[in-house]
Amino acid sequence: MRRLLTVVRKTKYWQQLLPVLVGLGVLSVTLLLWRSLLLQEHAAIERKIELATVNTTEIINQQLQTRILALTRMAERWQLRGGTPLAEWEADANNYQQDYPGFQAIEWVDSSFYVRWSEYRFMRDDGVVTWVFGQAVAEKNSNGEVIGYIGTLTDITARKQAESALQESEERWQLAVRGSKDGIWDWNVKTSQVFFSNRWKEMRGFAEHEISDSLEEWSNRIHPDDIDWVMQAVEDHFAKKTPFFAAEYRVQRKDGSYMWILDRGLALWDEAGNVVRMAGSETDISDRKRAEEELSNLSKALESAVEGISQLDTERRYVKVNPAYANMLGYLPEELMGMECKLTVHPEDREKMWTVYQQMLAHDKVEVQVKAVRKDGSVFDQQVVLIKAYDQKQQFVGCYRFMKDISDRREIDRLKDEFVSVVSHELRTPLTSISAALDLLASGVLQTQPQEAERMLNIAANNTERLVRLVNDILDIERINSGKVQMTLQVCNAFDLMTKSAEVVQEIADKAGVKLLVSPVRACLWADPDRIIQVFTNLLSNAIKFSPSDSTIWLSAEIQQQKKIGKAMPLSSTPDILFQVRDQGRGIRADKIEVIFERFGQVDASDSRQKGGTGLGLAICRSILQHHAGQIWVQSTLGEGSTFFFTLPISRSTQNAVNNVQ
């Protein structure tokens, strides 16, 4: 039994050992086969290396012979020319020095027996020079010595040309970036990488290291009022709604100030229509924007200027006019475009205007006063200034014509002349009378004629009063208008003021043979009684002065309850008294209705000589009434007479009157 068990155990042992022995046998056979294959591959490589070495050696020999032949030809050229310039010699030497190391590179071999030759130029048999890249594997003997090489040559001329073109392009790009005043940017939309040039950063006041190349550095500095539409402009270009991106907007500088830039860019799309890149440039246009703003303000000022401004071309035709200029001439601005300027000048002054234009060409600027003709044919006086106009290239393109309507100034000058004439007459006449009367009295001739002496004294007194009145009128108008006269306001009765005024002028009316009818009204006024009486007496004196004998003058008044009388009287929230002085005189022309209330204004300057007066009475009346919150105006018909109206507010109580006046 034990033997059986022993046999069984031995059988099992060999059964387990047999697979191991078989495995070892298979492994040994595999190793033998693998070694055999390695030996065969090594033999094949050696054969290839031998063939490659022979081929490489032939190539090198050919190249060396080519170089030697080239050097020989170069030496012969130098000898034939009797010498070669140093620069040319150095250029030839550098070319060969750059090419020859490519052959020396095969002496360098690393532990893997792999060699890379340098890139060098290769001259073919036909003389064409190409760029090649050489590589080789070295063969070593049992002692580790290199006994040969196997390698290849690759034509890389196209790559070299592309690299050269790329390098030139890059150099041009860098030169353009450094030399340009514009900021350059390049945005890789897919990766969100952005490039900003140094100039881009300088424009914002940053050094290169102070700002990063990120999209946020651009967007975060856009003015809040501009950010939305700028981003919309980018989106529109990405959507191909616009051929390129262009926008003028404000960006914040390092110091917090804002600058204006013109930003331009162009995007690139892939085949699927997705934006992959956009590049562009920024230009600082702050100076231009300031100039545009100044020009805009200037244009607005010219448009709203009260003086007429126009521009003429070299043919003296209108090319620009502002509204004030056109309005003075009675035209619309567009109606004057292309019209000859001389058509707006009075025919009598056109020759004068042409002479002045010639003077402007010689002296750049002239000034003249001529008559102008409106569209409706009416004439007015104008002051004209002509200034030569030039374009941006300083070429003469015409002139600017500045015009001012001086009709009012001429009228004032005329009135002043008339006033001087009136005043000189008013002064000369009484002074002459006073002087003559006093001379007679002083000579003693009238000592025996008391009645004549008394008459001379009366003449002197009357003329003295006349002089005092003239001086007082002049002083009154100046003081009232300048506010130097204090109105002594108090409660007074209109009935009393009208009655006293009629009594003052009654003697004058009797002498003129004029009947004076007064219809007073009882009402309280808050006024300066002396000044209101002055108004009454002025109006009544004028009415008497210009009324024929045996005519009648009416002085009346009525209370107006929020009623509008005539064009000049406005609606009032408090009741007024409307006073009227009506005469049967010669009347006033329509064009003189407003003139008579001006200083020195008279219907006819000769009236001062024939009727007396200074032409200041009505101007004084208007000033007094304006200080009482009243108004004055006139209605007149030639040959029938005139009616002067003026208003004063009623005072229901003293305090109410004060409030109304204030």
Side-chain angles (χ1 to χ4, degrees), residues 206-409:
F206 292 95
E208 184 177 5
H209 65 279
E210 292 180 326
I211 187 171
S212 62
D213 290 341
S214 67
L215 194 62
E216 289 73 20
E217 295 288 2
W218 167 69
S219 60
N220 290 343
R221 288 183 170 81
I222 300 177
H223 194 283
D225 294 343
D226 299 340
I227 183 67
D228 291 339
W229 70 265
V230 171
M231 291 303 180
Q232 186 60 50
V234 174
E235 292 295 332
D236 289 345
H237 181 52
F238 281 3
K240 297 185 178 181
K241 295 180 181 179
T242 56
F244 49 84
F245 164 71
E248 295 181 359
Y249 57 92
R250 291 160 290 181
V251 296
Q252 191 175 39
R253 293 172 52 86
K254 180 180 178 180
D255 60 6
S257 63
Y258 281 90
M259 60 180 291
W260 278 94
I261 64 166
L262 168 60
D263 200 352
R264 294 156 294 189
L266 187 64
L268 296 177
W269 293 264
D270 59 17
E271 295 180 354
N274 299 315
V275 180
V276 296
R277 181 181 179 186
M278 184 164 73
S281 64
E282 290 181 355
T283 304
D284 184 350
I285 59 172
S286 300
D287 291 341
R288 195 196 80 191
K289 279 293 184 179
R290 282 192 291 269
E292 288 178 354
E293 184 178 1
E294 292 176 1
L295 183 61
S296 176
N297 293 336
L298 179 59
S299 297
K300 292 178 181 178
L302 293 178
E303 287 295 316
S304 58
V306 296
E307 292 190 3
I309 303 173
S310 66
Q311 183 177 354
L312 309 179
D313 60 17
T314 54
E315 300 296 326
R316 299 181 302 285
R317 297 178 181 274
Y318 290 110
V319 293
K320 291 181 182 178
V321 294
N322 72 336
Y325 191 98
N327 186 58
M328 287 183 192
L329 294 171
Y331 290 91
L332 295 174
E334 53 269 24
E335 291 179 315
L336 289 172
M337 295 298 96
M339 180 187 297
E340 291 186 70
C341 177
K342 69 177 183 180
L343 298 179
T344 60
V345 178
H346 194 278
E348 295 178 359
D349 288 340
R350 288 177 184 174
E351 187 64 30
K352 179 181 179 181
M353 197 71 237
W354 170 249
T355 302
V356 169
Y357 182 83
Q358 296 297 322
Q359 294 174 356
M360 182 270 297
L361 295 178
H363 304 290
D364 291 342
K365 177 183 177 181
V366 291
E367 184 174 346
V368 67
Q369 293 182 4
V370 294
K371 295 178 181 178
V373 180
R374 297 188 180 93
K375 182 179 180 180
D376 60 7
S378 59
V379 179
F380 67 97
D381 294 311
Q382 63 172 334
Q383 182 178 10
V384 177
V385 177
L386 297 180
I387 301 176
K388 291 178 72 173
Y390 299 90
D391 60 13
Q392 295 180 348
K393 297 181 180 180
Q394 295 302 306
Q395 299 293 322
F396 174 69
V397 293
C399 67
Y400 295 104
R401 193 176 195 270
F402 299 87
M403 177 180 67
K404 180 187 293 186
D405 185 346
I406 59 173
S407 299
D408 292 341
R409 190 172 74 188

